[in-house]
């Protein structure tokens, strides 16, 4: 018992000094705490619960900010149009998961004149095929092939029954590479860079529900860099390739850490084996994050914090600490207090509720309570 008190004493002293220096309500961790929780809340739309005869009309209204949609000649509105559309707002980028039956679409010059939306968008079809015409040039896509297109130009096309992922990015995000993107409008992205980008997009989609506020701007920046790398002229490919590989490798490494937070074998050696890289490459990769071991401990502490603040998790503090690789309650308490500025027990009494990050807090306003609102606010 005396040993335990001695172990905990050093962790308690600096916290007490902080309390004397700062008023309770002004402590920095009070503002930072919400970023510990997942922040994205999807905006979902589906026609599945509507009567079949009403489904297509509802889909037309939902897609009206982007395109006018029409049924194939051999289809009638009475046949039904079971479709779904789930949007995620990352602040500087929208990600949309969409399923829809066959239809045609057009973004006319008249719609452009009445719309302020001129974003770039990337389409990753999972199933189905599409044909899109811009300035008499047709881009044909199929499953697994990326296409890039601007909402600032008229286009028209058709698509079969399909499931696709869409990324909407504001034009201003690419202000320094506008000519490069304009030259590739309505293009299919192919090659190693595009394949790496597909892997990256798939990994981001898989983690949408767990992203924190601090993750969002980094993901937007990484996505921008990878798109530019895919479109870079051949003379810039060497530097672009190195950057692209590093971004993709770092994402794989972070995903490996996240998936193995409760594993005893989560060490630099196990990461090297899983990722197929040398120790020096791994250390170089995590140097901006304070090192591999620091990153692992930070993610474990974050996971422990989420568990402690979950009212549905009734495990003892010592059991949560053990789950995430801490050998003793004293070690966990010291590390936790250093990371967050308060003890695990205080963390348990401070519930952290998910809420949108500042960059997407506009979604709380009336003007952004719809997909159209999100599109109009993107990049503003």
């Amino acid at each position: 018992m005396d040993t335990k008190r001695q172990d905990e004493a050093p962790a308690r002293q600096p916290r007490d000094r902080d309390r004397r220096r700062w008023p309770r309500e002004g402590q920095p961790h009070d503002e930072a705490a919400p970023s510990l929780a997942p922040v994205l809340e999807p905006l979902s739309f589906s026609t599945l619960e509507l009567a079949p005869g009403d489904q297509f009309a509802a889909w037309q209204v939902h897609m009206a900010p982007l395109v006018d949609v029409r049924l194939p000649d051999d289809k009638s509105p009475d046949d039904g149009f079971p479709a779904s559309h789930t949007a995620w707002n990352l602040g500087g980028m929208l990600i949309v998961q969409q399923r829809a039956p066959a239809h045609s679409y057009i973004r006319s010059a008249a719609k452009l004149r009445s719309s302020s939306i001129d974003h770039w968008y990337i389409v990753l079809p999972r199933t189905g095929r599409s044909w899109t015409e811009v300035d008499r040039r047709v881009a044909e896509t199929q499953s697994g092939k990326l296409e890039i297109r601007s909402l600032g130009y008229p286009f028209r096309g058709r698509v079969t029954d399909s499931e696709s992922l869409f990324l909407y990015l504001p034009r201003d995000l690419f202000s320094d590479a506008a000519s490069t993107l304009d030259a590739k409008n309505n293009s299919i992205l192919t090659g190693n860079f595009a394949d790496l980008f597909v892997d990256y997009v798939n990994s981001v989609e898989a983690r949408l529900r767990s992203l924190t506020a601090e993750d969002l701007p980094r993901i937007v920046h990484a996505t921008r860099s990878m798109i530019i790398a895919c479109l870079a002229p051949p003379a810039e490919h060497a530097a672009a390739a190195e950057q692209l590989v590093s971004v993709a490798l770092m994402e794989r490494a972070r995903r490996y850490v996240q998936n193995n937070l409760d594993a005893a074998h989560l060490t630099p050696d196990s990461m090297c084996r899983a990722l197929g890289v040398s120790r020096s490459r791994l250390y170089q990769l995590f140097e901006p994050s304070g090192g591999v071991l620091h990153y692992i401990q930070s993610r474990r502490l974050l996971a422990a914090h989420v568990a402690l603040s979950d009212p549905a998790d009734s495990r003892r503090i010592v059991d949560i600490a053990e789950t995430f690789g801490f050998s003793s309650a004293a070690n966990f308490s010291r590390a936790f207090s250093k990371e967050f500025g308060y003890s695990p027990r205080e963390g348990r009494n401070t519930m952290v509720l998910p809420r949108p990050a500042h960059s997407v807090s506009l979604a709380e306003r009336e003007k952004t309570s719809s997909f159209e609102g999100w599109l109009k606010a993107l990049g503003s």
Side-chain angles (χ1 to χ4, degrees):
M1 180 63 71
D2 291 340
T3 302
K4 180 177 179 181
R5 289 176 178 171
Q6 291 173 2
D7 286 341
E8 292 182 346
R12 185 180 297 115
Q13 290 172 1
R15 188 169 67 251
D16 291 340
R17 287 197 297 269
D18 285 345
R19 284 175 176 167
R20 289 192 294 270
R21 189 180 302 119
W22 297 93
R24 177 67 180 178
E25 62 276 12
Q27 288 184 3
H29 67 261
D30 288 338
E31 297 180 359
S35 69
L36 301 175
V39 293
L40 297 183
E41 290 290 339
L43 185 64
S44 298
F45 173 81
S46 174
T47 66
L48 299 180
E49 296 182 359
L50 300 176
D54 297 332
Q55 291 177 344
F56 184 66
W59 186 255
Q60 285 182 306
V61 171
H62 187 70
M63 298 305 296
L66 294 176
V67 292
D68 297 319
V69 295
R70 298 184 178 91
L71 288 170
D73 292 339
D74 60 345
K75 294 292 184 181
S76 162
D78 293 335
D79 296 330
F81 195 85
S84 63
H85 184 278
T86 302
W88 305 80
N89 194 340
L90 280 70
M93 174 174 69
L94 303 184
I95 296 179
V96 173
Q97 300 156 315
Q98 178 177 305
R99 294 182 181 181
H103 63 277
S104 63
Y105 47 87
I106 180 170
R107 185 166 177 82
S108 64
K111 183 175 284 290
L112 283 177
R113 287 193 294 269
S114 63
S115 173
S116 61
I117 299 171
D118 63 352
H119 311 316
W120 287 97
Y121 74 99
I122 305 286
V123 187
L124 174 57
R126 297 283 165 65
T127 61
R129 302 178 70 180
S130 69
W131 297 262
T132 306
E133 178 187 350
V134 176
D135 292 334
R136 299 183 180 181
R137 292 188 301 107
V138 176
E140 179 180 349
T141 60
Q142 54 188 337
S143 177
K145 297 296 183 182
L146 290 162
E147 60 179 310
I148 182 170
R149 189 168 299 112
S150 172
L151 291 168
Y153 293 86
F155 59 83
R156 64 178 180 176
R158 63 185 179 90
V159 61
T160 64
D161 291 10
S162 63
E163 178 181 352
S164 301
L165 191 73
F166 292 78
L167 277 65
Y168 294 92
L169 303 108
R171 178 168 288 271
D172 289 348
L173 190 63
F174 301 94
S175 57
D176 59 340
S179 60
T180 300
L181 269 72
D182 284 335
K184 295 292 185 179
N185 186 29
N186 200 42
S187 294
I188 309 303
L189 307 183
T190 58
N192 290 332
F193 294 166
D195 292 341
L196 284 169
F197 188 32
V198 170
D199 291 342
Y200 168 78
V201 170
N202 287 335
S203 68
V204 171
E205 182 190 16
R207 298 182 61 185
L208 285 171
R209 293 189 181 278
S210 63
L211 296 178
T212 66
E214 66 178 12
D215 294 329
L216 304 189
R218 296 177 183 177
I219 289 175
V220 173
H221 176 74
T223 303
R224 175 194 182 279
S225 298
M226 298 182 82
I227 291 172
I228 292 177
C230 287
L231 303 175
E236 301 175 15
H237 277 180
E242 183 177 353
Q243 181 184 32
L244 193 59
V245 168
S246 293
V247 170
L249 180 58
M250 187 62 186
E251 179 59 30
R252 285 178 56 210
R254 287 174 175 163
R255 189 165 67 251
Y256 179 82
V257 171
Q258 191 65 35
N259 291 339
N260 292 276
L261 288 175
D262 58 352
H265 65 265
L266 181 56
T267 64
D269 286 338
S270 71
M271 292 181 66
C272 289
R273 290 192 297 271
L275 301 174
V277 299
S278 65
R279 288 179 67 93
S280 59
R281 178 71 173 117
L282 186 71
Y283 291 156
Q284 180 187 44
L285 200 64
F286 279 90
E287 185 176 356
S289 301
V292 184
L293 294 176
H294 178 268
Y295 180 82
I296 291 174
Q297 176 163 293
S298 293
R299 300 311 293 182
R300 280 176 158 167
L301 287 169
L302 180 58
H305 191 294
V306 172
L308 284 169
S309 60
D310 182 357
D313 194 330
S314 59
R315 288 178 294 172
R316 298 182 304 164
I317 292 177
V318 66
D319 293 332
I320 291 176
E322 185 177 350
T323 296
F324 293 108
F326 290 89
S327 57
S328 73
N331 290 340
F332 175 65
S333 181
R334 281 194 293 268
F336 191 98
S337 298
K338 182 178 180 181
E339 184 78 7
F340 301 114
Y342 48 91
S343 71
R345 190 170 301 279
E346 289 175 307
R348 164 147 278 174
N349 295 330
T350 305
M351 187 182 301
V352 179
L353 296 175
R355 74 180 189 186
H358 177 71
S359 58
V360 295
S361 61
L362 292 174
E364 298 174 0
R365 301 181 184 178
E366 182 178 352
K367 71 175 184 177
T368 55
S369 60
S370 66
F371 179 54
E372 180 180 7
W374 279 10
L375 285 169
K376 290 181 176 178
L378 185 61
S380 63

